[in-house]
Amino acid sequence: MSNSERPNQLFRNLNAKIASIPMVLTALVVFVGGTAWTVLYSFTNSKLLPRLNFVGLDQYHRLWSTSRWLVSIENLLIYGVISLVFSLVIGFLLAALLDQKIRFEDTFRTIFLYPFALSFIVTGLVWQWLLNPDFGVQRVVRDLGWTSFSFDPLYNSSIVIYGISIAALWQGTGLIMCLMLAGLRGIDEDIWKAARVDGIPAWKTYLFIIIPMMRPVFITTLVIIAAGIVKVYDLVVAQTSGGPGIASEVPAKYVYDYMFFAQNLGQGFAASTMMLLSVVIVIVPWAYLEFGGKKRG
């Protein structure tokens, strides 16, 4: 076919391009435009309504000198490390067990995944009841005879974030298990046969052969977990509402409270921008690992 007969690149797959216009406009106006608008107004002293009265970095100085924000960041780091490590470890172990072609696999998979079908509000309320010292786990154990047993993390300011993390792990680990199980099922059976013939122990096969082959699955899983960590809000509200005091505050709750209760949009926008920065820190390395390596290859 001559060059004159070849369709112009602009008009190739024209129907698909026309159909994608609403999505592109939505991304540009809502996501990109909304993000730029938030960052812009974070440099203003907007209160109840946004106004372009620039104050430089004052909102950010005020943000990082507020004890409530610092507590939120500390809680997010603790919650993030716990969620990241334990979700991956428990999810992978459960997936490895289910990958052994056990009986009632479908039943177990459904049981493990079921908590993910619940909203964080429902999960938070359930675990608020379970961790209530008056009629939860502590009460049940004491009724069994261990009268000195104490387990009330949601009422102890020094460990409250760990109580919230327990609920988060219960709710989210099932999804991680399914992602890992899908990755394990994608491994060629010949690899397992070769490892057994060579006498390689199962744990070494997982650690040095299977896990490196599941790199794309792990990267995707890390991004999903990290996104859930940054935006955690409703679980905290349902369980503790940020208490005791400000002991379980998280950045998303800080943003919501300042924008809609304290009527300080500028401070809320500054906190939102810092949350956006944390998302960028997660997304950029993921994009580099996912796409940069392919281009070099």
Side-chain angles (χ1 to χ4, degrees):
M1 182 182 292
S2 63
N3 291 335
S4 60
E5 295 176 346
R6 291 178 180 173
N8 192 304
Q9 291 286 344
L10 182 63
F11 298 103
R12 186 173 294 176
N13 299 324
L14 185 60
N15 291 337
K17 291 178 179 178
I18 293 175
S20 67
I21 289 176
M23 181 190 67
V24 173
L25 291 177
T26 300
L28 290 175
V29 175
V30 177
F31 298 113
V32 178
T35 299
W37 191 84
T38 299
V39 174
L40 175 65
Y41 278 89
S42 70
F43 297 101
T44 69
N45 64 349
S46 300
K47 296 297 183 181
L48 178 60
L49 296 174
R51 57 180 180 176
L52 282 174
N53 186 10
F54 291 101
V55 293
L57 297 174
D58 285 359
Q59 295 289 3
Y60 292 94
H61 289 309
R62 189 175 299 113
L63 179 69
W64 286 101
S65 61
T66 303
S67 59
R68 182 178 175 185
W69 174 254
L70 297 178
V71 170
S72 299
I73 294 299
E74 181 182 354
N75 285 336
L76 189 67
L77 290 174
I78 296 173
Y79 175 86
V81 171
I82 293 174
S83 297
L84 197 62
V85 174
F86 284 94
S87 290
L88 283 175
V89 172
I90 298 174
F92 184 82
L93 290 176
L94 290 175
L97 291 173
L98 289 180
D99 194 44
Q100 306 305 311
K101 308 298 188 298
I102 63 174
R103 295 180 63 186
F104 308 113
E105 176 190 328
D106 292 342
T107 302
F108 285 114
R109 190 166 61 239
T110 302
I111 292 173
F112 291 137
L113 186 59
Y114 177 75
F116 186 73
L118 303 177
S119 69
F120 271 123
I121 293 294
V122 174
T123 300
L125 291 175
V126 169
W127 279 93
Q128 183 190 59
W129 298 332
L130 288 173
L131 299 178
N132 189 301
D134 294 328
F135 47 82
V137 174
Q138 177 177 297
R139 176 63 180 272
V140 171
V141 174
R142 287 186 177 184
D143 288 345
L144 293 175
W146 288 277
T147 55
S148 62
F149 177 80
S150 178
F151 187 65
D152 56 347
L154 298 186
Y155 298 84
N156 187 332
S157 59
S158 61
I159 60 172
V160 62
I161 194 64
Y162 299 99
I164 294 173
S165 300
I166 292 172
L169 289 172
W170 178 81
Q171 203 256 10
T173 303
L175 174 64
I176 307 304
M177 177 206 69
C178 288
L179 293 173
M180 294 296 176
L181 183 60
L184 289 172
R185 292 287 163 84
I187 302 296
D188 194 336
E189 188 65 28
D190 291 338
I191 294 176
W192 291 103
K193 293 178 181 178
R196 284 193 289 267
V197 169
D198 292 339
I200 302 176
W203 68 271
K204 283 190 176 181
T205 304
Y206 277 111
L207 192 61
F208 297 108
I209 300 176
I210 303 302
I211 291 179
M213 293 180 67
M214 292 175 59
R215 174 178 167 273
V217 176
F218 274 93
I219 292 175
T220 302
T221 304
L222 286 172
V223 172
I224 292 174
I225 296 174
I229 291 170
V230 172
K231 67 181 183 181
V232 61
Y233 168 78
D234 34 10
L235 186 63
V236 174
V237 171
Q239 286 191 274
T240 64
S241 295
I246 60 171
S248 59
E249 286 286 336
V250 289
K253 187 175 182 298
Y254 182 96
V255 171
Y256 186 88
D257 287 349
Y258 267 86
M259 291 183 69
F260 297 103
F261 291 112
Q263 297 179 354
N264 190 339
L265 291 180
Q267 184 69 184
F269 289 148
S272 299
T273 303
M274 297 309 302
M275 290 180 65
L276 173 65
L277 182 61
S278 65
V279 173
V280 170
I281 292 173
V282 172
I283 294 297
V284 170
W286 167 76
Y288 177 78
L289 290 171
E290 193 69 12
F291 303 109
K294 294 179 180 178
K295 289 183 179 179
R296 289 196 305 271

